[in-house]
Amino acid sequence: MNRYHRWNAILVAAGFIIVLTAACTALCAEDKKEIPNHAGFQSCKDCHGEMQAMWDSSGHSKAIRRIAVNNPSAADCGGCHSTKRLEAGQKNAEAPSAGEESFHKVGCLACHARQTSAYDHRVVVDPDKLCDTCHTQRSVLWGKGARGVEDSRNFHSGVPCISCHMTEGNHRMKVLRPDGPGLTEKRQDTCTLCHKDNNREARVQQIQEWQSTYDENMAPLLADVKSIDAALKQAPGLLDASLKSKFDNVKANLSILQGDGSRGFHNFVMSLEITGLASGDLKEIKAAIK
């Protein structure tokens, strides 16, 4: 092969390499598309504006504010509520403030996956288990976890979260209560979608009875716990080991109901079991510290 042909072969090979490199670069760039920022996820709302508007009015959009206000001493909120995930074992130096945009508010990607998933609507896990990744109310629905109280499943124990909290596919995660303001006569509320044999008035009466009973039972119990805690702070030895164990159980059980947040709606039977046991135990404890 003469010099001309050798240079020509070299140039052709070089051109092929350039083209191949450009193609690889394009493919790599395609694979490395930027994932939407959890803080704003602007790329979602362009196509899902209605869902974005619902999310804006939901508790999920205010989640980091709720954490900052309710638990100001938290030091590792960023483990979940940040676009910059921390390395294993790391903690934030301080809790995020409600206004920090670097901390997301339980946005689209917390539930929805970019990749193809085995579940409808591209959610990250089984829809029936998705809520459980953050919310602990499932144990209340199933009537489990209370100290000294037998498991007490009830009416709603087998109902998936989304059946009530995503009525009509809404992303507000709000139950459409039959006594909700602005609910028209033609629009079905969450309850009557399942309880078709009951009218709206019957459902309203039942819900209000459950929650008013819960409030009436809980208020004096929480007041007693507060006063006993104050007395023990002044004199830690007031209770023997048995009564101290009972008091710890009372506080743990009442905290389950408070953390549930439904005021008895998730499991009214369990709320009655817990408050009834707590009432008797607190009566015995108060008598011992007088």
Side-chain angles (χ1 to χ4, degrees):
M1 182 182 293
N2 60 35
R3 182 180 300 175
Y4 171 79
H5 287 103
R6 282 200 303 273
W7 276 107
N8 190 47
I10 290 171
L11 290 173
V12 170
F16 176 75
I17 291 172
I18 291 171
V19 170
L20 183 61
T21 301
C24 287
T25 301
L27 286 173
C28 290
E30 183 70 19
D31 287 340
K32 294 180 179 179
K33 284 182 178 177
E34 183 181 354
I35 295 176
N37 187 325
H38 286 197
F41 35 90
Q42 298 301 313
S43 63
C44 300
K45 73 175 185 179
D46 291 342
C47 296
H48 303 284
E50 183 179 1
M51 299 303 180
Q52 173 79 20
M54 291 181 182
W55 176 88
D56 283 338
S57 65
S58 76
H60 283 166
S61 73
K62 307 170 184 65
I64 196 63
R65 183 176 301 111
R66 196 169 293 171
I67 289 171
V69 170
N70 291 352
N71 190 13
S73 63
D76 56 355
C77 300
C80 292
H81 292 268
S82 175
T83 56
K84 297 180 180 179
R85 304 290 291 187
L86 298 175
E87 297 299 326
Q90 279 187 319
K91 289 188 176 183
N92 285 351
E94 58 185 55
S97 67
E100 285 190 65
E101 287 300 323
S102 61
F103 292 89
H104 75 76
K105 303 157 185 174
V106 188
C108 306
L109 296 184
C111 299
H112 297 283
R114 278 172 53 83
Q115 72 274 12
T116 302
S117 113
Y119 307 104
D120 291 342
H121 308 301
R122 298 165 67 90
V123 291
V124 294
V125 297
D126 183 338
D128 284 345
K129 298 178 181 177
L130 180 57
C131 303
D132 298 346
T133 58
C134 293
H135 298 279
T136 59
Q137 284 92 334
R138 180 79 65 177
S139 61
V140 174
L141 280 167
W142 287 346
K144 296 182 177 181
R147 300 178 186 180
V149 176
E150 291 185 3
D151 291 354
S152 49
R153 295 173 71 90
N154 86 132
F155 320 107
H156 295 125
S157 292
V159 179
C161 304
I162 58 176
S163 294
C164 295
H165 288 274
M166 293 191 73
T167 303
E168 300 176 343
N170 82 81
H171 277 62
R172 293 184 182 90
M173 309 300 168
K174 287 284 188 182
V175 173
L176 298 178
R177 289 179 54 133
D179 55 351
L183 194 65
T184 64
E185 288 296 326
K186 292 183 179 180
R187 187 181 184 189
Q188 280 192 310
D189 60 272
T190 297
C191 301
T192 53
L193 282 171
C194 287
H195 299 277
K196 298 184 186 299
D197 58 332
N198 289 292
N199 59 36
R200 186 174 292 181
E201 289 73 21
R203 296 269 66 83
V204 168
Q205 183 178 0
Q206 186 176 43
I207 293 170
Q208 291 179 347
E209 284 180 357
W210 283 352
Q211 295 190 326
S212 62
T213 299
Y214 172 89
D215 292 341
E216 289 168 6
N217 288 345
M218 284 289 284
L221 299 178
L222 294 175
D224 285 346
V225 167
K226 186 176 180 180
S227 65
I228 294 169
D229 269 331
L232 291 177
K233 188 175 181 180
Q234 296 295 323
L238 283 175
L239 300 180
D240 61 25
S242 176
L243 289 179
K244 187 178 184 305
S245 177
K246 282 188 177 183
F247 188 49
D248 289 341
N249 290 344
V250 166
K251 291 196 290 184
N253 286 347
L254 294 182
S255 71
I256 289 173
L257 296 181
Q258 288 182 292
D260 172 65
S262 72
R263 293 168 57 215
F265 185 84
H266 282 153
N267 194 329
F268 185 59
V269 173
M270 185 181 192
S271 73
L272 289 179
E273 293 284 348
I274 287 177
T275 54
L277 178 62
S279 179
D281 287 345
L282 288 173
K283 184 177 181 180
E284 182 181 358
I285 293 166
K286 286 190 297 181
I289 65 176
K290 284 184 178 179

